[in-house]
Amino acid sequence: MNEIEYLKKYLPSDKLEDGIKRLNSGEPVQYIVGNVDFYGYKINVNKNVLIPRFETEELVFKTINLIKKNLNENIKVLDIGTGSGCISIALKKEIPGLDITAVDISEDALVVAKNNALENNCEINFIKSDLFNNIDDKYDLIISNPPYIKNNTKEIDNIVKKNEPHLALYAKNNGLYFYEEIIKNSSNYLNDKNIIAFEIGYLQANEIKKMAHKYYPNSNIIIEKDMQEKDRFVFIINL
């Protein structure tokens, strides 16, 4: 299905002409329609949040398998940089016993996430926080798809650069800033048995693995590929 057909399927007929104009002006079709399907659940999106990607669905799938294999299904989860709330919502719908807290620095993103949780009948604790700043609990799992594009990179599509929130895209230290901040501070917010799950830029695996070894020298660090056979996920497992 091409983008015009997608608009015809999901937009009311009286909004189709305007939708096509917006599409032709370079706006992503997901923002025009106003929602996406993520892991089988309807997630509303606008320019205050990133458009969820297939790779993030893979992160959810792999994390669910790790939870079921290594932890119980009533654990406490912290989702850092929740954006639209898609990760937390998918996890909660698939494993209802999870106690999930989701944080974001953007108030506008949290409005979207809270509405998505309400529409999907999910009980999630949302907190405005810059990483761990407003967190005072301990968790069994930390999951994050943080900003990981290095500043001034040319390796980003114009449609992304011109439409999606830069706060959720770019990071200092060649895109590695948030990974190091999360890894080096996470031990203060984790129970003894824990898992950290990341989506990463496909060229960042080795650097993030080094960080993980530095702060968690005895952990089991797993790098997994996405469906395009690119290194896309890092799991730091302490069990």
Side-chain angles (χ1 to χ4, degrees):
M1 184 188 304
N2 64 34
E3 290 179 327
I4 297 292
E5 290 171 340
Y6 189 88
L7 290 179
K8 288 180 178 178
K9 181 175 181 179
Y10 291 104
L11 280 183
S13 57
D14 62 332
K15 294 186 177 180
L16 182 59
E17 183 178 350
D18 179 64
I20 292 173
K21 287 180 181 177
R22 291 168 65 186
L23 185 68
N24 290 336
S25 72
E27 189 172 348
V29 66
Q30 296 92 336
Y31 286 156
I32 299 169
V33 171
N35 62 76
V36 297
D37 180 289
F38 182 85
Y39 219 85
Y41 305 106
K42 180 183 174 183
I43 301 294
N44 295 313
V45 293
N46 59 34
K47 289 193 175 186
N48 296 312
V49 298
L50 288 185
I51 299 165
R53 265 66 173 186
F54 293 121
E55 292 86 354
T56 309
E57 288 183 308
E58 292 182 71
L59 174 67
V60 169
F61 176 78
K62 292 175 183 294
T63 301
I64 287 171
N65 287 340
L66 280 173
I67 292 170
K68 291 184 174 180
K69 181 178 179 182
N70 299 288
L71 301 167
N72 68 62
E73 297 188 9
N74 297 299
I75 61 168
K76 300 185 77 168
V77 177
L78 179 64
D79 173 16
I80 298 178
T82 193
S84 66
C86 61
I87 290 174
S88 288
I89 290 165
L91 287 175
K92 184 69 174 177
K93 296 296 285 188
E94 295 297 309
I95 309 180
L98 297 178
D99 180 352
I100 302 179
T101 296
V103 305
D104 206 289
I105 194 172
S106 167
E107 190 71 58
D108 291 331
L110 287 172
V111 170
V112 177
K114 289 174 183 177
N115 286 335
N116 280 327
L118 191 63
E119 286 197 20
N120 283 281
N121 195 28
C122 285
E123 186 177 336
I124 295 167
N125 179 33
F126 290 101
I127 298 174
K128 183 179 181 182
S129 182
D130 183 1
L131 300 176
F132 298 106
N133 282 5
N134 293 323
I135 299 300
D136 57 6
D137 207 344
K138 286 185 179 285
Y139 300 87
D140 306 285
L141 170 73
I142 291 175
I143 188 167
S144 184
N145 175 23
Y148 58 68
I149 299 172
K150 60 184 179 181
N151 290 323
N152 303 318
T153 185
K154 296 180 180 177
E155 298 174 4
I156 181 171
D157 293 338
N158 273 336
I159 194 170
V160 174
K161 183 166 61 177
K162 292 180 178 179
N163 290 278
E164 299 193 53
H166 288 194
L167 187 66
L169 290 171
Y170 297 101
K172 298 181 290 187
N173 189 23
N174 290 319
L176 297 169
Y177 172 79
F178 291 103
Y179 296 108
E180 183 153 25
E181 288 297 305
I182 291 170
I183 293 169
K184 77 179 182 182
N185 293 301
S186 57
S187 62
N188 298 315
Y189 304 93
L190 284 167
N191 291 319
D192 291 339
K193 292 185 176 181
N194 61 74
I195 295 174
I196 302 172
F198 286 128
E199 181 178 329
I200 66 170
Y202 71 93
L203 297 176
Q204 297 173 324
N206 288 335
E207 291 298 321
I208 294 171
K209 187 174 183 179
K210 287 178 187 175
M211 288 178 195
H213 274 306
K214 178 181 177 182
Y215 296 103
Y216 289 96
N218 299 315
S219 64
N220 181 19
I221 300 165
I222 300 171
I223 297 170
E224 293 200 20
K225 297 183 183 295
D226 62 19
M227 287 186 290
Q228 281 70 48
E229 290 299 308
K230 293 181 178 180
D231 291 336
R232 186 66 66 182
F233 314 102
V234 173
F235 299 95
I236 305 167
I237 302 174
N238 301 285
L239 298 171

